[in-house]
Amino acid sequence: MALDGILLRCRVKLYEPGPVSKDLLLKVHTPGLIEGVKGDPLCSTAWHSAGGVVMAGEKIAGGEIANAFAFIGAGGHHSARDTFGGYCCFNDVALCIVNLREKHGFRRFAILDTDAHHGDGTREIFLTDPDVLHVCVCGQEYESPDGTKVDLGFPDPRECRGGRTMNDAYFDRVSRSFPDRVRRFRPDLLFWYFGFDTHQGDYGDIGLTGPCYWNIAVLMRNLAEEVCGGKLEVVLGGGSRTELATKLIPPVIGTLAGKDMWQTEFPGG
Ligand SMILES: [Zn+2]
Ligand SMILES: [Zn+2]
């Protein structure tokens, strides 16, 4: 129901995915992980969650849609080849990448992960893959020798004095760290792993609110238009509160659909 307005008013279409195939799962995960996911009640939505992320990538690559927002019920970025946890079951982004490489000849991918937590599963799967740029804003500082695996710390609260907010400092950090790397890297498609667990009051609270996410949405949409013909997939990550999802997500989708619409259609968020 939270999406009814955006589905009526914008160039937005809702797709319902089928389950991800076992063939594809076995190209990323071990049989043991798949059995473990089957037995975990927290993972009941894992097949359709990953199926949606994979399907969105295919529709973007085939030109049916320009970009996508993938809702998930079970997360992805803590899921590695043989281990899962932290509300993550199958690595949805990795499955999408493997599928796009095989079916569409895409090779290079850039991922911005703004979930509050380190994307350890995604990092492990692509650790030695120079064609995946993985920039993860998770509170630690790291850069691999080849520059394709990067972790960024959270802004220091001392950066937020004199009217400057945590939203400003966080957005500055993203906009100084990600776009130039992407321009040099020249990916075929961009992913934004969007967790809102960083929002005030959610379980990874670092003091962010709506405008920070919406500004990142605009940045990602414009960057994708600049470097890869607009091909952008936003994949939902962590976040637990229904009222936050209801408030935060429609403006992100609106931004994907058009020009900075959250500022005019969702004044004040
Ligand atoms: Zn998280
Ligand atoms: Zn990280």
Side-chain angles (χ1 to χ4, degrees), residues 8 22 42 54 66 70 80 88 90 121 172 181-182 216 255 257 267:
L8 281 175
K22 187 161 185 197
L42 286 176
V54 169
C88 293
F90 299 133
D172 275 4
R181 289 180 196 280
V182 170
I216 294 173
T255 296

Side-chain angles (χ1 to χ4, degrees), residues 117-119 123 136-138 140 150-151:
H117 306 98
H118 178 54
R123 179 63 55 84
C136 171
V137 189
C138 59
Q140 61 194 34
V150 178
D151 293 313

Side-chain angles (χ1 to χ4, degrees), residues 6 19 32 65 79 83 99 106 123 134 144 146 155 160 170 197 212 234 236 241 245 249:
I6 204 108
I65 56 177
S79 173
T83 55
N99 187 61
F106 284 31
R123 179 63 55 84
H134 183 225
S144 65
D146 73 352
C160 309
Y170 188 98
D197 50 356
C212 185
V234 183
L236 190 56
R241 293 177 53 177
I249 291 173

Side-chain angles (χ1 to χ4, degrees), residues 77-78 86 115-118 193 195 197 203-204 237-239:
H77 77 157
H78 295 310
D115 187 280
H117 306 98
H118 178 54
Y193 195 83
D197 50 356
Y203 59 79

Side-chain angles (χ1 to χ4, degrees), residues 5-264:
I6 204 108
L7 287 168
L8 281 175
R9 283 151 74 192
C10 300
R11 300 175 296 160
V12 180
K13 186 169 174 186
L14 180 68
Y15 294 91
E16 295 195 28
V20 68
S21 77
K22 187 161 185 197
D23 280 355
L24 183 57
L25 283 177
L26 285 168
K27 289 171 183 166
V28 171
H29 294 296
T30 61
L33 178 135
I34 296 168
E35 285 306 308
V37 166
K38 268 184 199 164
D40 187 333
L42 286 176
C43 291
S44 61
T45 62
W47 280 260
H48 287 78
S49 295
V53 175
V54 169
M55 183 184 77
E58 283 197 352
K59 289 189 183 297
I60 294 169
E64 183 177 335
I65 56 177
N67 53 40
F69 185 99
F71 279 96
I72 50 84
H77 77 157
H78 295 310
S79 173
R81 183 169 159 68
D82 190 39
T83 55
F84 72 102
Y87 300 101
C88 293
C89 302
F90 299 133
N91 196 303
D92 41 18
V93 169
L95 290 159
C96 186
I97 287 176
V98 168
N99 187 61
L100 288 178
R101 281 177 169 168
E102 290 195 348
K103 288 197 184 157
H104 292 274
F106 284 31
R107 194 164 65 94
R108 287 165 75 77
F109 300 87
I111 306 164
L112 174 67
D113 183 334
T114 63
D115 187 280
H117 306 98
H118 178 54
D120 51 356
T122 308
R123 179 63 55 84
E124 185 199 295
I125 290 168
F126 295 114
L127 190 62
T128 60
D129 187 331
D131 291 321
V132 174
L133 172 64
H134 183 225
V135 175
C136 171
V137 189
C138 59
Q140 61 194 34
E141 300 276 357
Y142 171 76
E143 179 165 357
S144 65
D146 73 352
T148 66
K149 307 297 177 278
V150 178
D151 293 313
L152 298 172
F154 301 132
D156 189 317
R158 284 173 297 186
E159 291 176 49
C160 309
R161 287 182 181 156
R164 199 174 138 83
T165 64
M166 194 61 169
N167 281 352
D168 299 332
Y170 188 98
F171 180 75
D172 275 4
R173 181 147 299 190
V174 168
S175 59
R176 278 200 309 260
S177 308
F178 191 62
D180 280 343
R181 289 180 196 280
V182 170
R183 290 183 188 107
R184 291 194 300 270
F185 188 75
R186 302 168 69 91
D188 299 308
L189 184 144
L190 286 186
F191 288 98
W192 175 25
Y193 195 83
F194 162 53
F196 61 86
D197 50 356
T198 49
H199 193 283
Q200 290 179 10
D202 214 321
Y203 59 79
D205 183 352
I206 60 164
L208 302 183
T209 62
C212 185
Y213 309 113
W214 303 329
N215 280 326
I216 294 173
V218 173
L219 179 152
M220 293 298 285
R221 186 202 62 209
N222 291 344
L223 183 62
E225 282 170 4
E226 181 190 331
V227 301
C228 55
K231 291 192 279 296
L232 167 65
E233 181 168 350
V234 183
V235 178
L236 190 56
S240 65
R241 293 177 53 177
T242 301
E243 79 277 14
L244 290 181
T246 303
K247 177 177 122 174
L248 298 174
I249 291 173
V252 171
I253 296 172
T255 296
L256 296 181
K259 274 259 170 263
D260 308 354
M261 64 166 289
W262 69 265
Q263 289 166 327
T264 50

